[in-house]
Amino acid sequence: MSGWVQDTRMDGKCAVIRINAGNGAYKTKSACGSGVREQFSFTFAGTKSAQVRLAIA
């Protein structure tokens, strides 16, 4: 799974993507600061599914 997460507000919080794979693996990536964009690329062996959530933290 690959993509990017971007913080778009000057609110002191971070945009966070959380990925839970079907095999129990868990990955997260954060972007903190207005306009900051973070790329991510994660591989999850042994699964064909994942749940992705975008949150503000």
Side-chain angles (χ1 to χ4, degrees):
M1 180 170 289
S2 63
W4 51 267
V5 60
Q6 182 172 346
D7 188 349
T8 61
R9 295 191 179 184
M10 291 169 64
D11 58 5
K13 298 179 182 177
C14 300
V16 180
I17 191 151
R18 297 178 179 141
I19 304 166
N20 291 312
N23 65 356
Y26 175 83
K27 299 283 185 175
T28 185
K29 186 70 175 186
S30 300
C32 301
S34 181
V36 173
R37 179 185 283 194
E38 295 288 341
Q39 300 284 340
F40 64 89
S41 181
F42 301 125
T43 301
F44 299 99
T47 189
K48 294 182 181 179
S49 66
Q51 181 182 51
V52 181
R53 293 185 180 199
L54 176 62
I56 300 170

